[in-house]
Amino acid sequence: MSVASAPTGRVGPPPALPEDEPDPPPPSRLHRRQGRIGLVFASPWVIGFFVLYALPMAASLWFSFTDFNLTSAEPTSFVGLDNWRRLFGDPEVINSAWVTVKFGVLSLPFTILVPLGFAYLLTSKNLWGRSFFRTLFYLPSVIPFVAAVLVFNGMLNSQTGWANRALGAVGIPGPNWLNSEVWIYPTLTLIALWGVGNAMIIFIAGMNSVPEDLYDAAAVDGAGSLAMFRHVTIPLISPVLFYNIVVALIGLFQYFLVPFVLKNGSGDPNGSTFFYSMYFYRTLFRLQNMGYAATLAWMLFIAGVVVTGVLFWSAKYWVHYEFGERS
């Protein structure tokens, strides 16, 4: 038996070698013209990104390695990692970061759970006038927050505010809302709840997107309202929940307006409102130490990226996406 006729398990002639694919045709004149038009339309965003974001960030990173100070007559010089060494040993950084963490631990659950509860109530079929109440709860969000904080400042005044007067009318002594270390964080949390309308609207949109047949199936299985909320609503709105948590966390890192308007950056009472952003503001605008302020800003950015990254990593364990997609 020759080699050619030996049994090899192959039937028929050997397969032909694949031919080289022909080169794609060059883009036509029309495609090149459309590409140029696309670049023209995208150029405002590209230019804006580099001018307003990329270049300032690169400049601030460079400043963090210098002793740039607007009040100093000395020329700016490169100091290497001195600002970063100072940051990790700065007690003001540790104290202000701790103040931010303490407030976040108390405030974040309320800024998530309260709008979630409002959204659940305002999507109830048994509630009369749902549209009216949704508008009513959302209206505070359209009021300038500085004006709202000033109103709260007067309303919660321990001597003249109507909150303590109302409590006094029923025999309850009012607390010192704004000047007590015990009450300042609950007060700031109360003020923060004034602007939960946006989160509430997003939760309502998420709840309205849950398929009705899932609730019907759960009802057939004997599930009550609480079980439906726990096992149907929460898993299906988990992407919305995840989004609101990310937004709330970023808002915590940027928390500045309320303590600044109430206390003018003094940190009263006893440093309990001296948030990290307040320390950054004082270093940048009052001491005008640009180099160290840039280091503080980059540390805040890194901390935000790390915390947000951990949250995105955890999403694969608890965020449910429709059609089986998971982050």
Side-chain angles (χ1 to χ4, degrees):
M1 181 179 293
S2 66
V3 175
S5 59
T8 60
R10 179 184 300 159
V11 179
L17 294 175
E19 298 180 357
D20 293 336
E21 295 183 358
D23 295 333
S28 65
R29 186 176 178 181
L30 175 62
H31 287 168
R32 290 197 298 270
R33 182 170 178 269
Q34 289 177 337
R36 287 194 295 270
I37 293 175
L39 288 176
V40 169
F41 277 101
S43 60
W45 183 90
V46 175
I47 295 172
F49 173 78
F50 278 100
V51 173
L52 301 177
Y53 288 95
L55 289 179
M57 287 185 69
S60 68
L61 182 61
W62 168 250
F63 290 158
S64 70
F65 298 106
T66 68
D67 60 355
F68 182 31
N69 193 319
L70 290 177
T71 60
S72 174
E74 299 294 328
T76 301
S77 58
F78 182 77
V79 295
L81 297 175
D82 286 357
N83 287 330
W84 291 89
R85 294 192 191 96
R86 176 186 170 185
L87 182 144
F88 288 109
D90 189 348
E92 295 282 6
V93 170
I94 298 173
N95 292 336
S96 59
W98 178 236
V99 166
T100 305
V101 171
K102 284 193 296 185
F103 174 67
V105 169
L106 175 66
S107 175
L108 278 180
F110 286 98
T111 55
I112 296 297
L113 295 177
V114 169
L116 177 64
F118 284 157
Y120 180 72
L121 293 175
L122 295 177
T123 52
S124 172
K125 294 180 179 178
N126 300 321
L127 178 65
W128 175 85
R130 283 183 295 177
S131 299
F132 170 76
F133 285 110
R134 288 176 186 178
T135 306
L136 195 65
F137 279 95
Y138 182 74
L139 273 180
S141 300
V142 302
I143 296 176
F145 209 63
V146 172
V149 174
L150 291 175
V151 171
F152 271 103
N153 191 27
M155 185 182 73
L156 298 175
N157 187 290
S158 59
Q159 301 298 324
T160 60
W162 64 259
N164 279 4
R165 291 189 177 186
L167 291 174
V170 293
I172 301 175
N176 194 348
W177 301 92
L178 299 171
N179 298 307
S180 164
E181 290 183 57
V182 175
W183 282 96
I184 188 64
Y185 292 144
T187 302
L188 295 178
T189 303
L190 177 66
I191 297 174
L193 295 180
W194 178 257
V196 297
N198 286 326
M200 181 195 72
I201 290 295
I202 296 172
F203 275 128
I204 288 176
M207 290 180 182
N208 285 335
S209 67
V210 178
E212 195 66 27
D213 53 350
L214 294 181
Y215 291 113
D216 296 336
V220 170
D221 290 339
S225 299
L226 184 60
M228 290 185 189
F229 182 74
R230 167 68 180 83
H231 298 290
V232 178
T233 304
I234 291 296
L236 290 181
I237 68 166
S238 56
V240 177
L241 187 61
F242 174 73
Y243 168 79
N244 278 329
I245 292 175
V246 171
V247 171
L249 269 175
I250 294 174
L252 173 64
F253 281 105
Q254 300 174 342
Y255 192 66
F256 175 80
L257 189 147
V258 177
F260 182 76
V261 173
L262 290 177
K263 301 298 180 183
N264 196 24
S266 64
D268 292 333
N270 197 22
S272 55
T273 60
F274 196 64
F275 292 85
Y276 188 91
S277 57
M278 304 300 300
Y279 184 45
F280 167 71
Y281 170 81
R282 191 183 71 177
T283 304
L284 179 62
F285 291 104
R286 293 185 177 174
L287 303 180
Q288 298 192 349
N289 188 344
M290 300 296 175
Y292 190 53
T295 311
L296 292 172
W298 270 95
M299 190 66 236
L300 183 65
F301 174 73
I302 293 171
V305 169
V306 170
V307 173
T308 308
V310 170
L311 193 58
F312 270 88
W313 169 81
S314 70
K316 61 185 177 183
Y317 297 108
W318 62 276
V319 178
H320 170 79
Y321 288 96
E322 198 174 2
F323 307 117
E325 296 180 6
R326 299 173 71 90
S327 63

